[in-house]
PDB file of all heavy atoms in Angstrom:
ATOM      1  N   LEU A 270       8.231  -2.823  11.017  1.00  0.00           N
ATOM      2  CA  LEU A 270       9.326  -2.976  10.177  1.00  0.00           C
ATOM      3  C   LEU A 270       9.087  -1.872   9.088  1.00  0.00           C
ATOM      4  O   LEU A 270       8.029  -1.980   8.351  1.00  0.00           O
ATOM      5  CB  LEU A 270       9.370  -4.357   9.544  1.00  0.00           C
ATOM      6  CG  LEU A 270      10.581  -4.729   8.587  1.00  0.00           C
ATOM      7  CD1 LEU A 270      11.873  -4.654   9.499  1.00  0.00           C
ATOM      8  CD2 LEU A 270      10.424  -6.029   7.959  1.00  0.00           C
ATOM      9  N   PRO A 271      10.042  -0.884   8.915  1.00  0.00           N
ATOM     10  CA  PRO A 271       9.808   0.076   7.868  1.00  0.00           C
ATOM     11  C   PRO A 271       9.572  -0.585   6.471  1.00  0.00           C
ATOM     12  O   PRO A 271      10.280  -1.421   6.082  1.00  0.00           O
ATOM     13  CB  PRO A 271      11.117   0.896   7.917  1.00  0.00           C
ATOM     14  CG  PRO A 271      11.573   0.785   9.332  1.00  0.00           C
ATOM     15  CD  PRO A 271      11.169  -0.676   9.677  1.00  0.00           C
ATOM     16  N   GLY A 272       8.557  -0.020   5.767  1.00  0.00           N
ATOM     17  CA  GLY A 272       8.253  -0.612   4.455  1.00  0.00           C
ATOM     18  C   GLY A 272       7.101  -1.593   4.617  1.00  0.00           C
ATOM     19  O   GLY A 272       6.474  -1.879   3.559  1.00  0.00           O
ATOM     20  N   ILE A 273       6.909  -2.208   5.789  1.00  0.00           N
ATOM     21  CA  ILE A 273       5.891  -3.170   6.010  1.00  0.00           C
ATOM     22  C   ILE A 273       4.977  -2.471   6.963  1.00  0.00           C
ATOM     23  O   ILE A 273       4.883  -2.875   8.193  1.00  0.00           O
ATOM     24  CB  ILE A 273       6.431  -4.485   6.544  1.00  0.00           C
ATOM     25  CG1 ILE A 273       7.537  -5.054   5.820  1.00  0.00           C
ATOM     26  CG2 ILE A 273       5.234  -5.533   6.601  1.00  0.00           C
ATOM     27  CD1 ILE A 273       7.256  -5.344   4.301  1.00  0.00           C
ATOM     28  N   VAL A 274       4.175  -1.523   6.496  1.00  0.00           N
ATOM     29  CA  VAL A 274       3.350  -0.716   7.295  1.00  0.00           C
ATOM     30  C   VAL A 274       1.942  -0.608   6.853  1.00  0.00           C
ATOM     31  O   VAL A 274       1.749  -0.554   5.605  1.00  0.00           O
ATOM     32  CB  VAL A 274       3.924   0.763   7.419  1.00  0.00           C
ATOM     33  CG1 VAL A 274       3.077   1.680   8.250  1.00  0.00           C
ATOM     34  CG2 VAL A 274       5.398   0.748   7.936  1.00  0.00           C
ATOM     35  N   GLY A 275       1.066  -0.671   7.713  1.00  0.00           N
ATOM     36  CA  GLY A 275      -0.414  -0.641   7.302  1.00  0.00           C
ATOM     37  C   GLY A 275      -0.831   0.731   6.721  1.00  0.00           C
ATOM     38  O   GLY A 275      -0.282   1.776   7.123  1.00  0.00           O
ATOM     39  N   LEU A 276      -1.850   0.675   5.786  1.00  0.00           N
ATOM     40  CA  LEU A 276      -2.364   1.910   5.302  1.00  0.00           C
ATOM     41  C   LEU A 276      -3.822   2.009   5.745  1.00  0.00           C
ATOM     42  O   LEU A 276      -4.536   0.997   5.664  1.00  0.00           O
ATOM     43  CB  LEU A 276      -2.368   1.936   3.703  1.00  0.00           C
ATOM     44  CG  LEU A 276      -0.954   2.146   3.104  1.00  0.00           C
ATOM     45  CD1 LEU A 276      -1.103   1.894   1.609  1.00  0.00           C
ATOM     46  CD2 LEU A 276      -0.447   3.582   3.404  1.00  0.00           C
ATOM     47  N   ASN A 277      -4.280   3.170   6.201  1.00  0.00           N
ATOM     48  CA  ASN A 277      -5.656   3.326   6.700  1.00  0.00           C
ATOM     49  C   ASN A 277      -6.652   3.048   5.638  1.00  0.00           C
ATOM     50  O   ASN A 277      -6.479   3.449   4.484  1.00  0.00           O
ATOM     51  CB  ASN A 277      -5.848   4.693   7.187  1.00  0.00           C
ATOM     52  CG  ASN A 277      -5.126   5.085   8.500  1.00  0.00           C
ATOM     53  OD1 ASN A 277      -4.523   4.106   9.062  1.00  0.00           O
ATOM     54  ND2 ASN A 277      -5.066   6.288   8.870  1.00  0.00           N
ATOM     55  N   ASN A 278      -7.713   2.297   5.907  1.00  0.00           N
ATOM     56  CA  ASN A 278      -8.721   1.997   5.031  1.00  0.00           C
ATOM     57  C   ASN A 278      -9.844   3.048   5.279  1.00  0.00           C
ATOM     58  O   ASN A 278     -10.560   2.955   6.255  1.00  0.00           O
ATOM     59  CB  ASN A 278      -9.342   0.553   5.157  1.00  0.00           C
ATOM     60  CG  ASN A 278     -10.311   0.218   4.093  1.00  0.00           C
ATOM     61  OD1 ASN A 278     -10.390   0.901   3.080  1.00  0.00           O
ATOM     62  ND2 ASN A 278     -10.994  -0.887   4.227  1.00  0.00           N
ATOM     63  N   ILE A 279      -9.870   4.051   4.524  1.00  0.00           N
ATOM     64  CA  ILE A 279     -10.733   5.262   4.804  1.00  0.00           C
ATOM     65  C   ILE A 279     -12.174   4.843   4.523  1.00  0.00           C
ATOM     66  O   ILE A 279     -13.047   5.183   5.376  1.00  0.00           O
ATOM     67  CB  ILE A 279     -10.342   6.454   3.869  1.00  0.00           C
ATOM     68  CG1 ILE A 279      -8.807   6.862   4.211  1.00  0.00           C
ATOM     69  CG2 ILE A 279     -11.240   7.653   4.031  1.00  0.00           C
ATOM     70  CD1 ILE A 279      -8.270   7.786   3.204  1.00  0.00           C
ATOM     71  N   LYS A 280     -12.536   4.192   3.458  1.00  0.00           N
ATOM     72  CA  LYS A 280     -13.874   3.695   3.213  1.00  0.00           C
ATOM     73  C   LYS A 280     -13.749   2.488   2.312  1.00  0.00           C
ATOM     74  O   LYS A 280     -14.060   1.376   2.764  1.00  0.00           O
ATOM     75  CB  LYS A 280     -14.764   4.771   2.652  1.00  0.00           C
ATOM     76  CG  LYS A 280     -16.245   4.285   2.688  1.00  0.00           C
ATOM     77  CD  LYS A 280     -17.197   5.466   2.486  1.00  0.00           C
ATOM     78  CE  LYS A 280     -18.599   5.015   2.645  1.00  0.00           C
ATOM     79  NZ  LYS A 280     -19.547   6.060   2.500  1.00  0.00           N
ATOM     80  N   ALA A 281     -13.506   2.588   1.000  1.00  0.00           N
ATOM     81  CA  ALA A 281     -13.560   1.482   0.136  1.00  0.00           C
ATOM     82  C   ALA A 281     -12.196   1.587  -0.760  1.00  0.00           C
ATOM     83  O   ALA A 281     -12.283   1.274  -1.978  1.00  0.00           O
ATOM     84  CB  ALA A 281     -14.797   1.423  -0.702  1.00  0.00           C
ATOM     85  N   ASN A 282     -11.158   1.879  -0.112  1.00  0.00           N
ATOM     86  CA  ASN A 282      -9.929   2.124  -0.864  1.00  0.00           C
ATOM     87  C   ASN A 282      -8.899   0.969  -0.569  1.00  0.00           C
ATOM     88  O   ASN A 282      -7.668   1.170  -0.976  1.00  0.00           O
ATOM     89  CB  ASN A 282      -9.263   3.412  -0.456  1.00  0.00           C
ATOM     90  CG  ASN A 282      -8.990   3.488   1.002  1.00  0.00           C
ATOM     91  OD1 ASN A 282      -9.960   3.683   1.853  1.00  0.00           O
ATOM     92  ND2 ASN A 282      -7.725   3.460   1.497  1.00  0.00           N
ATOM     93  N   ASP A 283      -9.336  -0.158  -0.175  1.00  0.00           N
ATOM     94  CA  ASP A 283      -8.438  -1.241   0.018  1.00  0.00           C
ATOM     95  C   ASP A 283      -7.837  -1.725  -1.183  1.00  0.00           C
ATOM     96  O   ASP A 283      -6.632  -2.229  -1.229  1.00  0.00           O
ATOM     97  CB  ASP A 283      -9.232  -2.424   0.813  1.00  0.00           C
ATOM     98  CG  ASP A 283     -10.524  -2.821   0.199  1.00  0.00           C
ATOM     99  OD1 ASP A 283     -11.296  -1.923  -0.142  1.00  0.00           O
ATOM    100  OD2 ASP A 283     -10.799  -4.015   0.032  1.00  0.00           O
ATOM    101  N   TYR A 284      -8.511  -1.691  -2.338  1.00  0.00           N
ATOM    102  CA  TYR A 284      -7.994  -2.139  -3.650  1.00  0.00           C
ATOM    103  C   TYR A 284      -6.810  -1.341  -4.006  1.00  0.00           C
ATOM    104  O   TYR A 284      -5.782  -1.856  -4.481  1.00  0.00           O
ATOM    105  CB  TYR A 284      -9.070  -2.076  -4.739  1.00  0.00           C
ATOM    106  CG  TYR A 284      -9.329  -0.584  -5.155  1.00  0.00           C
ATOM    107  CD1 TYR A 284      -8.772  -0.081  -6.309  1.00  0.00           C
ATOM    108  CD2 TYR A 284     -10.197   0.058  -4.437  1.00  0.00           C
ATOM    109  CE1 TYR A 284      -9.064   1.168  -6.747  1.00  0.00           C
ATOM    110  CE2 TYR A 284     -10.517   1.440  -4.875  1.00  0.00           C
ATOM    111  CZ  TYR A 284      -9.939   1.981  -5.935  1.00  0.00           C
ATOM    112  OH  TYR A 284     -10.252   3.168  -6.461  1.00  0.00           O
ATOM    113  N   ALA A 285      -6.782  -0.003  -3.750  1.00  0.00           N
ATOM    114  CA  ALA A 285      -5.652   0.903  -3.967  1.00  0.00           C
ATOM    115  C   ALA A 285      -4.615   0.746  -2.995  1.00  0.00           C
ATOM    116  O   ALA A 285      -3.366   0.687  -3.380  1.00  0.00           O
ATOM    117  CB  ALA A 285      -6.225   2.336  -3.968  1.00  0.00           C
ATOM    118  N   ASN A 286      -4.990   0.514  -1.757  1.00  0.00           N
ATOM    119  CA  ASN A 286      -3.884   0.216  -0.644  1.00  0.00           C
ATOM    120  C   ASN A 286      -3.053  -0.946  -1.061  1.00  0.00           C
ATOM    121  O   ASN A 286      -1.881  -0.909  -0.836  1.00  0.00           O
ATOM    122  CB  ASN A 286      -4.579   0.032   0.644  1.00  0.00           C
ATOM    123  CG  ASN A 286      -5.098   1.297   1.212  1.00  0.00           C
ATOM    124  OD1 ASN A 286      -5.045   2.390   0.641  1.00  0.00           O
ATOM    125  ND2 ASN A 286      -5.633   1.333   2.474  1.00  0.00           N
ATOM    126  N   ALA A 287      -3.695  -2.057  -1.440  1.00  0.00           N
ATOM    127  CA  ALA A 287      -2.931  -3.153  -1.862  1.00  0.00           C
ATOM    128  C   ALA A 287      -1.911  -2.921  -2.900  1.00  0.00           C
ATOM    129  O   ALA A 287      -0.741  -3.430  -2.841  1.00  0.00           O
ATOM    130  CB  ALA A 287      -3.934  -4.250  -2.190  1.00  0.00           C
ATOM    131  N   VAL A 288      -2.299  -2.197  -3.908  1.00  0.00           N
ATOM    132  CA  VAL A 288      -1.342  -1.790  -5.085  1.00  0.00           C
ATOM    133  C   VAL A 288      -0.255  -0.924  -4.494  1.00  0.00           C
ATOM    134  O   VAL A 288       0.912  -1.159  -4.804  1.00  0.00           O
ATOM    135  CB  VAL A 288      -2.219  -1.162  -6.154  1.00  0.00           C
ATOM    136  CG1 VAL A 288      -1.124  -0.531  -7.187  1.00  0.00           C
ATOM    137  CG2 VAL A 288      -3.107  -2.193  -6.833  1.00  0.00           C
ATOM    138  N   LEU A 289      -0.585   0.089  -3.811  1.00  0.00           N
ATOM    139  CA  LEU A 289       0.462   1.052  -3.217  1.00  0.00           C
ATOM    140  C   LEU A 289       1.491   0.305  -2.390  1.00  0.00           C
ATOM    141  O   LEU A 289       2.563   0.577  -2.515  1.00  0.00           O
ATOM    142  CB  LEU A 289      -0.235   2.189  -2.473  1.00  0.00           C
ATOM    143  CG  LEU A 289      -1.075   3.073  -3.403  1.00  0.00           C
ATOM    144  CD1 LEU A 289      -1.926   3.979  -2.514  1.00  0.00           C
ATOM    145  CD2 LEU A 289      -0.303   3.911  -4.372  1.00  0.00           C
ATOM    146  N   GLN A 290       0.994  -0.682  -1.501  1.00  0.00           N
ATOM    147  CA  GLN A 290       1.894  -1.239  -0.660  1.00  0.00           C
ATOM    148  C   GLN A 290       2.811  -2.244  -1.389  1.00  0.00           C
ATOM    149  O   GLN A 290       3.992  -2.428  -1.149  1.00  0.00           O
ATOM    150  CB  GLN A 290       1.114  -2.144   0.391  1.00  0.00           C
ATOM    151  CG  GLN A 290       0.637  -1.192   1.424  1.00  0.00           C
ATOM    152  CD  GLN A 290      -0.224  -1.960   2.553  1.00  0.00           C
ATOM    153  OE1 GLN A 290      -0.953  -2.863   2.172  1.00  0.00           O
ATOM    154  NE2 GLN A 290       0.007  -1.651   3.798  1.00  0.00           N
ATOM    155  N   ALA A 291       2.271  -2.919  -2.448  1.00  0.00           N
ATOM    156  CA  ALA A 291       3.088  -3.705  -3.387  1.00  0.00           C
ATOM    157  C   ALA A 291       4.205  -2.992  -4.054  1.00  0.00           C
ATOM    158  O   ALA A 291       5.257  -3.298  -4.135  1.00  0.00           O
ATOM    159  CB  ALA A 291       2.225  -4.487  -4.372  1.00  0.00           C
ATOM    160  N   LEU A 292       3.726  -1.693  -4.604  1.00  0.00           N
ATOM    161  CA  LEU A 292       4.762  -0.962  -5.315  1.00  0.00           C
ATOM    162  C   LEU A 292       5.882  -0.377  -4.390  1.00  0.00           C
ATOM    163  O   LEU A 292       6.987  -0.183  -4.772  1.00  0.00           O
ATOM    164  CB  LEU A 292       4.063   0.225  -5.971  1.00  0.00           C
ATOM    165  CG  LEU A 292       3.099  -0.043  -7.178  1.00  0.00           C
ATOM    166  CD1 LEU A 292       2.452   1.175  -7.652  1.00  0.00           C
ATOM    167  CD2 LEU A 292       3.950  -0.786  -8.260  1.00  0.00           C
ATOM    168  N   SER A 293       5.506  -0.167  -3.079  1.00  0.00           N
ATOM    169  CA  SER A 293       6.489   0.299  -2.151  1.00  0.00           C
ATOM    170  C   SER A 293       7.639  -0.676  -1.945  1.00  0.00           C
ATOM    171  O   SER A 293       8.609  -0.288  -1.390  1.00  0.00           O
ATOM    172  CB  SER A 293       5.879   0.690  -0.792  1.00  0.00           C
ATOM    173  OG  SER A 293       5.533  -0.522  -0.066  1.00  0.00           O
ATOM    174  N   ASN A 294       7.462  -1.917  -2.237  1.00  0.00           N
ATOM    175  CA  ASN A 294       8.440  -2.978  -2.034  1.00  0.00           C
ATOM    176  C   ASN A 294       9.024  -3.435  -3.280  1.00  0.00           C
ATOM    177  O   ASN A 294       9.759  -4.486  -3.273  1.00  0.00           O
ATOM    178  CB  ASN A 294       7.793  -4.049  -1.298  1.00  0.00           C
ATOM    179  CG  ASN A 294       7.727  -3.796   0.265  1.00  0.00           C
ATOM    180  OD1 ASN A 294       8.699  -3.880   0.988  1.00  0.00           O
ATOM    181  ND2 ASN A 294       6.497  -3.286   0.608  1.00  0.00           N
ATOM    182  N   VAL A 295       8.848  -2.848  -4.456  1.00  0.00           N
ATOM    183  CA  VAL A 295       9.479  -3.187  -5.706  1.00  0.00           C
ATOM    184  C   VAL A 295      10.795  -2.446  -5.680  1.00  0.00           C
ATOM    185  O   VAL A 295      10.865  -1.178  -5.454  1.00  0.00           O
ATOM    186  CB  VAL A 295       8.576  -2.694  -6.876  1.00  0.00           C
ATOM    187  CG1 VAL A 295       9.370  -2.842  -8.233  1.00  0.00           C
ATOM    188  CG2 VAL A 295       7.329  -3.472  -6.904  1.00  0.00           C
ATOM    189  N   PRO A 296      11.997  -3.071  -5.908  1.00  0.00           N
ATOM    190  CA  PRO A 296      13.198  -2.508  -5.910  1.00  0.00           C
ATOM    191  C   PRO A 296      13.360  -1.193  -6.637  1.00  0.00           C
ATOM    192  O   PRO A 296      13.928  -0.223  -6.187  1.00  0.00           O
ATOM    193  CB  PRO A 296      14.246  -3.491  -6.408  1.00  0.00           C
ATOM    194  CG  PRO A 296      13.483  -4.798  -6.038  1.00  0.00           C
ATOM    195  CD  PRO A 296      12.012  -4.603  -6.117  1.00  0.00           C
ATOM    196  N   ARG A 297      12.858  -1.230  -7.920  1.00  0.00           N
ATOM    197  CA  ARG A 297      13.015   0.000  -8.728  1.00  0.00           C
ATOM    198  C   ARG A 297      12.131   1.117  -8.027  1.00  0.00           C
ATOM    199  O   ARG A 297      12.368   2.312  -8.201  1.00  0.00           O
ATOM    200  CB  ARG A 297      12.443  -0.242 -10.175  1.00  0.00           C
ATOM    201  CG  ARG A 297      12.565   1.015 -11.028  1.00  0.00           C
ATOM    202  CD  ARG A 297      12.256   0.688 -12.489  1.00  0.00           C
ATOM    203  NE  ARG A 297      13.543   0.092 -13.042  1.00  0.00           N
ATOM    204  CZ  ARG A 297      14.533   0.805 -13.529  1.00  0.00           C
ATOM    205  NH1 ARG A 297      14.492   2.121 -13.406  1.00  0.00           N
ATOM    206  NH2 ARG A 297      15.576   0.234 -14.014  1.00  0.00           N
ATOM    207  N   GLY A 298      11.067   0.794  -7.360  1.00  0.00           N
ATOM    208  CA  GLY A 298      10.229   1.758  -6.709  1.00  0.00           C
ATOM    209  C   GLY A 298      10.927   2.453  -5.655  1.00  0.00           C
ATOM    210  O   GLY A 298      10.401   3.506  -5.114  1.00  0.00           O
TER     211      GLY A 298
END
């Protein structure tokens, strides 16, 4: 489903991935 897509966890970037995925689904975003 476009917009509900996984982000690669390169090493220890899951904290940033979670934020980026949340922002991708904010209407203003």
Side-chain angles (χ1 to χ4, degrees):
L270 187 64
I273 312 297
V274 178
L276 289 173
N277 291 350
N278 191 10
I279 300 168
K280 191 162 186 181
N282 56 288
D283 49 315
Y284 74 97
N286 283 3
V288 170
L289 293 171
Q290 285 181 315
L292 290 176
S293 75
N294 283 276
V295 174
R297 179 169 284 276

